[in-house]
Amino acid sequence: MADHKPFSPFPFFALLLSSLLLCSPMGEEGRRHAHEDHGHAGPAPRLQTFVISVQQPESATFAGHEDRERWYRSFLSENAAADDVGMGERRWVYSYHEVLTGFAARLTEEEILGSLHLHSATTHSPEFIGLHTGSGLWGGGATGGRLGEGVIVGMIDSGVTLGHPSFNDDDMPPPPSRWKGSCQPPKFCNKKVIGAKTFISGSDSEKATPADDDGHGTHTASTVAGSFVKGANVLGNTYGTASGVAPHAHLAIYKVCTGNKCQASDILAGIDAALADGVDVLSISLGGTPGLFIFSDLIAVGAFRAIKKGVFVSCAAGNFGDSDTVINDAPWILTVAAGTMDRSIVASVKLGNGSIFQGQSAFQPAGFTRKLLPLVLPGANLSDTAPAFSCKPEYLVGVDVKGKIVLCKGGRGILNFDKGTAVLKAGAAAMILMNAEFQRGTTAVSAHVLPASHVSFSDGSKIIDYFRRSNNPTVSISFEGTKLGFSSPPAPEVASFSSRGGPNVMDTHILKPDVLGPGVNMLAAWHSPVGPPSVNPDSRDDAYFNMISGTSMATPHLSGVVALLKSAHPDWSPATIRSAIMTTANIRDNDGNRIIFYGSLNKTADVLAIGAGHVNASRADDPGLVYDLVPTDYIPYLCDFGFVDDTLKPGLVGELVNCSTLPRIAREQLNYPSIAVLLGKKSPTVAVNRTVTNVGEADEIYKVEVEAGGGLAVSVVPQTLRFSAVKEKQSFTVTFSKPGGATELSFEEGSLRWVSDKHIVRIHISVVIDLLE
Ligand SMILES: *[C@@H]1O[C@H](CO)[C@@H](O)[C@H](O)[C@H]1NC(C)=O
Ligand SMILES: *[C@@H]1O[C@H](CO)[C@@H](O)[C@H](O)[C@H]1NC(C)=O
Ligand SMILES: *[C@@H]1O[C@H](CO)[C@@H](O)[C@H](O)[C@H]1NC(C)=O
Ligand SMILES: *[C@@H]1O[C@H](CO)[C@@H](O)[C@H](O)[C@H]1NC(C)=O
Ligand SMILES: *[C@@H]1O[C@H](CO)[C@@H](O)[C@H](O)[C@H]1NC(C)=O
Ligand SMILES: *[C@@H]1O[C@H](CO)[C@@H](O)[C@H](O)[C@H]1NC(C)=O
């Protein structure tokens, strides 16, 4: 994961947070206010992009896109609506058609305050780190040889590198006839990449192309549906045949990020186009900062419109590591956490006193000396947190590093790649890169520009200790190549950077993340050569690959699994597919033990880190029972948030809903494939209903098995479910009661499994006990 610089800051408006923004009634009143703003000349006003949701009157019909845009513009002051260039900038950004009734425009705060209720178009960044498997985890026909045929996956990302062999279309059929998309420019398309459009506001749309200037989009797209490429390698480390998870699925590319930045208004425009074009799955490895309310989250808004059209949405859980940091957590999204795989590319660090630490590097120079060399710590005389430790280039000036090995700490906003470049430039022989404390244990197999080894925080701390105690600190690095299929450490383990849910603020009543996928040191296609210029292995045919890490890399694995399932079961709804993935996930590693946190001395990962567990595509193909949902099931869930005037405005769900006309249903009753409840003084007992649908054999009998910690009392009625038809539905009630000796605040987890002769259908349960409530 290297520098897991997660996402950029998320500029936000209090106005937006407090007013259920996207759901703003924009009748005459809004219009009047907007016009009152007209002519108001503030001092040097700053323009920002706002997404504005308006309510379409039932009487309004539009002749076409132009007509609709004219109506949208009527909400703005004349200056703003007229593409006024008085402020040196174009004001109009997008009209939306599918994701919401509304538009994006560049406005001043003055222009919007008190009038339009908006949503700030925030700056998002794709996560930038990470690393992939050579042979595609389940590329080999998890679903009876259907490798994603006929399925179209929309990538909302930084574009694609057409011409890379991962996107060749030799084995591909033409796009399905229902496909309405296109490529701009047309030469960007083949039968693998069947759509490619660019939404980078502010750039010259004539010149903007879907070409990937970052690598992230190429990597994620090839992970979902890359074609088979023999001899894929990073710097000569070969991994055999690379392929995406669904190698026969089609890709539609929506470039919404450039230079590692993505605007929310662009993301929404990309989703808007993808829905109009007719994608089946959306893969979104992007996001904002944690804690965003569901109604203010533009990705949640776009995703809701997607599932209304039967389009599956999988998103990254975030790279923030700690508790309570999950993003993209709306209940209609599949939220994906990242774990390791059983592969490392070893670069061992040996100290002068004999201690050895196992680090990693993708660059494995054959002739590198095994001799001990002097160890240098720039800024060694300063405190441990001094910037010098991070190998900021200016701190290397004047330090004698010639022919020595330099220790650099991760983080401080300097990419690992840039640290390596600075150390190489200063004349060092090699680099040891250690994680900063917040980066903990997960190390990256990176294509460094010089001989290097990436070690964990705890190993790095021992190296610093050795440096300080020794009069003549020396060190060597030996490159030992690829280790595969080992069980020490076991795999998968939860990546240190993978965002976790929180027991304290379980405000959604839906536990997130949902599932763990491979996201550490993932090999996939890349847009440019990597590593030292001298070693450029393979200029053969631009077949560049790179290893990077992040929940960004785990997400396309799941999107690929979804494509496989959709291809094999065209009638499965998005909720059915998600349920199939979650109820069949593994909670154990390849040693048969519970999945642990990376580098944690066997600390079991809880549901807040892994959700249902690690995906197993073959088992998801035959789940037995599913917890299904239709889009309208989310309405009572949303109403349960409670609003002053008791209405759900159209911003999020696309229609005006009067909640007081609906039965009140508590959020935990949503038929989700997990259960999360709060037991408190007022509610010492909570009963939750769930309904399962039979997608296994017609005649199957299931018995319930419950596991719960902390003396929780959990009862299930009925205990047996007998099915006699496919698609038959049956309901059950789970009652949770607080244990006798409960402390004031505690968190317990467990599982509920329906077990037949052929299937085990497992959901995870979690209970917050808060006796102060
Ligand atoms: C640290 O301080 C000592 C004593 O002042 C000096 O000899 C040494 O060069 C310094 N080391 C670095 C890396 O600055
Ligand atoms: C080498 O030094 C480190 C740091 O002081 C220490 O943790 C380690 O035990 C030492 N190794 C040996 C073999 O003495
Ligand atoms: C962790 O588990 C492994 C495999 O079961 C075992 O060999 C090892 O000793 C354990 N480590 C600790 C620190 O408990
Ligand atoms: C996935 O599920 C299949 C079918 O049950 C099983 O054979 C396989 O071992 C599982 N793979 C993993 C990694 O758990
Ligand atoms: C919602 O419905 C209730 C009951 O029918 C009604 O009293 C109320 O005025 C409605 N609210 C709105 C905003 O339409
Ligand atoms: C749950 O199901 C039981 C039994 O069918 C029913 O009595 C109860 O009202 C349901 N509860 C909710 C919240 O739907």
Side-chain angles (χ1 to χ4, degrees):
M1 42 117 227
D3 322 67
H4 58 85
K5 185 173 81 184
F7 307 109
S8 307
F10 207 81
F12 224 77
F13 289 87
L15 162 77
L16 306 179
L17 282 172
S18 59
S19 65
L20 305 183
L21 345 164
L22 282 168
C23 327
S24 32
M26 275 307 306
E28 287 305 308
E29 198 181 296
R31 181 184 299 239
R32 194 180 64 239
H33 281 292
H35 282 279
E36 274 167 15
D37 278 348
H38 163 51
H40 187 117
R46 197 165 72 88
L47 294 182
Q48 300 179 72
T49 306
F50 287 93
V51 170
I52 297 145
S53 159
V54 299
Q55 184 178 334
Q56 183 170 336
E58 270 167 42
S59 57
T61 50
F62 302 106
H65 283 356
E66 273 175 34
D67 201 17
R68 180 188 284 265
E69 184 167 319
R70 236 189 320 275
W71 179 65
Y72 285 159
R73 284 182 191 248
S74 72
F75 290 101
L76 298 177
S77 69
E78 275 165 32
N79 275 345
D83 263 351
D84 161 68
V85 283
M87 291 170 138
E89 280 190 68
R90 202 166 158 254
R91 302 290 220 102
W92 189 259
V93 184
Y94 296 112
S95 309
Y96 299 111
H97 306 282
E98 303 282 339
V99 281
L100 50 76
T101 308
F103 55 95
R106 304 274 296 162
L107 302 171
T108 64
E109 261 178 83
E110 292 276 298
E111 279 173 322
I112 60 107
L113 274 174
S115 59
L116 303 171
H117 304 248
L118 334 134
H119 195 281
S120 148
T122 54
T123 305
H124 293 238
S125 255
E127 320 171 55
F128 212 139
I129 321 304
L131 315 210
H132 171 108
T133 171
S135 49
L137 225 36
W138 9 88
T143 53
R146 290 182 65 88
L147 302 178
E149 278 91 345
V151 177
I152 303 161
V153 183
M155 304 299 302
I156 308 294
D157 214 305
S158 66
V160 75
T161 305
L162 203 70
H164 191 287
S166 287
F167 305 112
N168 92 35
D169 64 352
D170 292 350
D171 297 333
M172 294 297 297
S177 57
R178 64 197 159 81
W179 176 240
K180 296 199 277 289
S182 61
C183 283
Q184 290 149 10
K187 69 171 191 316
F188 236 85
C189 274
N190 62 15
K191 287 179 286 178
K192 167 59 74 183
V193 175
I194 61 171
K197 292 176 180 169
T198 309
F199 300 91
I200 306 290
S201 51
S203 74
D204 183 345
S205 56
E206 299 286 300
K207 285 196 199 124
T209 80
D212 182 6
D213 54 17
D214 180 298
H216 190 275
T218 300
H219 202 277
T220 54
S222 65
T223 300
V224 173
S227 302
F228 292 100
V229 181
K230 291 210 180 86
N233 71 83
V234 173
L235 300 177
N237 297 297
T238 52
Y239 310 102
T241 300
S243 95
V245 176
H248 290 177
H250 300 282
L251 289 165
I253 306 297
Y254 300 90
K255 177 174 166 177
V256 300
C257 309
T258 187
N260 192 23
K261 288 244 180 334
C262 333
Q263 292 266 335
S265 52
D266 294 342
I267 294 172
L268 206 57
I271 298 174
D272 198 58
L275 298 183
D277 290 348
V279 303
D280 301 306
V281 182
L282 278 171
S283 190
I284 308 182
S285 292
L286 311 167
T289 48
L292 196 52
F293 191 40
I294 198 169
F295 293 92
S296 341
D297 179 349
L298 287 177
I299 292 181
V301 170
F304 192 83
R305 301 305 172 89
I307 60 130
K308 274 180 104 172
K309 297 191 113 188
V311 174
F312 193 100
V313 185
S314 57
C315 291
N319 289 355
F320 299 94
D322 298 318
S323 289
D324 268 331
T325 58
V326 170
I327 59 165
N328 294 321
D329 56 353
W332 44 88
I333 289 174
L334 179 75
T335 311
V336 186
T340 61
M341 287 201 328
D342 55 351
R343 179 185 60 211
S344 60
I345 303 183
V346 178
S348 287
V349 172
K350 188 173 175 188
L351 304 185
N353 75 358
S355 279
I356 295 176
F357 303 103
Q358 186 179 307
Q360 303 202 90
S361 174
F363 177 38
Q364 300 263 319
F368 188 67
T369 180
R370 298 194 159 225
K371 278 198 222 124
L372 290 165
L373 299 175
L375 175 63
V376 186
L377 204 56
N381 295 351
L382 309 170
S383 90
D384 271 12
T385 50
F389 266 80
S390 312
C391 291
K392 226 175 162 197
E394 54 261 44
Y395 289 95
L396 290 167
V397 174
V399 182
D400 176 18
V401 300
K402 287 255 174 338
K404 301 179 180 175
I405 296 182
V406 177
L407 178 72
C408 302
K409 215 181 223 184
R412 286 220 160 232
I414 310 165
L415 295 177
N416 290 343
F417 177 83
D418 295 336
K419 293 177 204 269
T421 305
V423 171
L424 178 67
K425 221 168 136 195
M431 170 175 76
I432 297 169
L433 174 69
M434 68 174 280
N435 278 342
E437 189 166 9
F438 75 94
Q439 297 170 321
R440 292 181 279 230
T442 302
T443 56
V445 179
S446 302
H448 296 288
V449 293
L450 78 172
S453 175
H454 186 186
V455 299
S456 68
F457 173 71
S458 69
D459 290 350
S461 301
K462 286 181 199 139
I463 298 172
I464 294 179
D465 191 48
Y466 162 74
F467 177 88
R468 291 198 163 136
R469 286 164 189 267
S470 171
N471 294 326
N472 175 29
T474 56
V475 66
S476 68
I477 301 178
S478 64
F479 295 97
E480 295 163 18
T482 305
K483 261 172 73 185
L484 271 179
F486 52 87
S487 66
S488 171
E493 293 178 329
V494 178
S496 318
F497 57 77
S498 189
S499 281
R500 291 160 211 179
N504 304 324
V505 196
M506 210 194 287
D507 54 359
T508 64
H509 300 262
I510 300 293
L511 204 68
K512 294 279 184 169
D514 292 315
V515 71
L516 188 66
V520 178
N521 298 331
M522 296 291 117
L523 176 87
W526 200 243
H527 68 305
S528 68
V530 293
S534 55
V535 205
N536 229 313
D538 211 282
S539 37
R540 269 188 301 143
D541 45 10
D542 299 343
Y544 305 123
F545 286 83
N546 197 9
M547 279 187 145
I548 53 171
S549 306
T551 50
S552 273
M553 282 65 242
T555 302
H557 281 87
L558 268 297
S559 306
V561 171
V562 170
L564 296 177
L565 294 173
K566 202 147 181 133
S567 179
H569 308 278
D571 60 328
W572 280 11
S573 70
T576 292
I577 293 175
R578 178 174 58 193
S579 175
I581 289 171
M582 288 175 64
T583 63
T584 59
N586 272 345
I587 57 163
R588 297 188 179 276
D589 63 28
N590 56 5
D591 278 347
N593 299 315
R594 290 292 293 263
I595 293 172
I596 61 171
F597 288 113
Y598 191 96
S600 69
L601 300 177
N602 298 350
K603 184 170 181 285
T604 300
D606 53 20
V607 293
L608 302 170
I610 64 171
H614 197 262
V615 60
N616 182 325
S618 350
R619 252 189 271 148
D621 194 24
D622 181 20
L625 303 175
V626 294
Y627 294 76
D628 200 8
L629 282 164
V630 294
T632 49
D633 291 336
Y634 295 105
I635 304 279
Y637 168 89
L638 291 169
C639 282
D640 190 44
F641 281 97
F643 312 107
V644 176
D645 70 351
D646 218 15
T647 55
L648 205 52
K649 307 299 192 309
L652 178 57
V653 299
E655 60 197 289
L656 185 68
V657 177
N658 186 340
C659 292
S660 59
T661 62
L662 299 172
R664 276 280 177 220
I665 302 174
R667 272 173 269 168
E668 65 265 21
Q669 303 294 342
L670 185 71
N671 200 39
Y672 207 77
S674 71
I675 301 177
V677 298
L678 172 75
L679 298 180
K681 262 214 213 83
K682 280 178 238 143
S683 54
T685 299
V686 172
V688 175
N689 290 355
R690 287 288 186 272
T691 300
V692 283
T693 307
N694 183 19
V695 295
E697 317 234 320
D699 292 302
E700 214 164 327
I701 300 170
Y702 288 85
K703 288 198 163 36
V704 78
E705 290 177 5
V706 176
E707 239 179 79
L712 268 185
V714 182
S715 68
V716 182
V717 178
Q719 298 258 311
T720 304
L721 299 176
R722 285 166 211 280
F723 291 90
S724 54
V726 173
K727 296 202 174 152
E728 184 183 344
K729 287 179 190 290
Q730 299 226 22
S731 298
F732 58 94
T733 302
V734 191
T735 307
F736 297 85
S737 308
K738 106 183 143 57
T743 51
E744 282 186 355
L745 185 65
S746 60
F747 176 74
E748 303 294 346
E749 63 173 72
S751 66
L752 184 157
R753 310 192 309 162
W754 288 106
V755 181
S756 77
D757 293 343
K758 301 189 190 67
H759 297 105
I760 298 173
V761 187
R762 179 185 186 277
I763 60 174
H764 50 293
I765 58 185
S766 58
V767 179
V768 173
I769 301 158
D770 183 355
L771 298 183
L772 303 174
E773 259 293 295

